[in-house]
Amino acid sequence: MAVDDIHLPVAEHMRDHRVQLMALGEIFHNLRLPDGSPRYGITANEELYESLERIYRFGQSTGEFRPFDTRVMAITHSSAVDNMFAYWAAYPEHDLDAHARELVEIFLRAVR
């Protein structure tokens, strides 16, 4: 499958919702637990990491993906997508679609 054939609906959706994305970023970065520590952060992503790991393990079990550490790939995947949107929110002239296509290419090369 060519990378250009992969539809990237999340990036497409976000392109039209930059202001909302920025507002959510403010909420996530400033929301605190009763002890004053951040509510969201690396430890709050555990369910997402586990979901991504399941997808990667499935791909490995079918032989579509090569052997690799699924936890490392899940953390890297999540961070790359989060930072793609954060960068675009800060620099709206940045080509979000091109960035998303590059991420697809990076991850396809990484898993095969």
Side-chain angles (χ1 to χ4, degrees):
M1 169 185 329
V3 172
D4 291 339
D5 294 336
I6 297 173
H7 184 60
L8 300 165
V10 175
E12 184 177 304
H13 173 77
M14 289 301 191
R15 189 179 333 101
D16 296 329
H17 296 90
R18 181 175 170 271
V19 172
Q20 292 89 339
L21 180 64
M22 292 174 67
L24 285 172
E26 288 293 319
I27 291 168
F28 290 140
H29 288 106
N30 293 306
L31 195 59
R32 302 289 169 176
L33 294 171
D35 68 0
S37 64
R39 167 64 180 96
Y40 295 103
I42 198 76
T43 57
N45 289 336
E46 192 60 33
E47 287 182 38
L48 175 61
Y49 300 149
E50 290 171 2
S51 295
L52 289 168
E53 281 186 287
R54 281 192 295 276
I55 292 167
Y56 285 129
R57 279 194 302 272
F58 177 76
Q60 288 173 332
S61 74
T62 64
E64 186 172 354
F65 295 163
R66 68 173 179 80
F68 56 82
D69 185 313
T70 58
R71 175 50 59 124
V72 170
M73 191 65 76
I75 293 167
T76 303
H77 182 157
S78 177
S79 297
V81 171
D82 288 349
N83 283 299
M84 173 183 70
F85 288 124
Y87 187 84
W88 173 72
Y91 298 96
E93 70 279 3
H94 181 68
D95 188 341
L96 181 62
D97 294 328
H99 193 137
R101 282 191 303 276
E102 287 294 326
L103 281 185
V104 169
E105 179 69 24
I106 289 167
F107 281 101
L108 286 176
R109 288 176 184 238
V111 299
R112 293 187 173 154

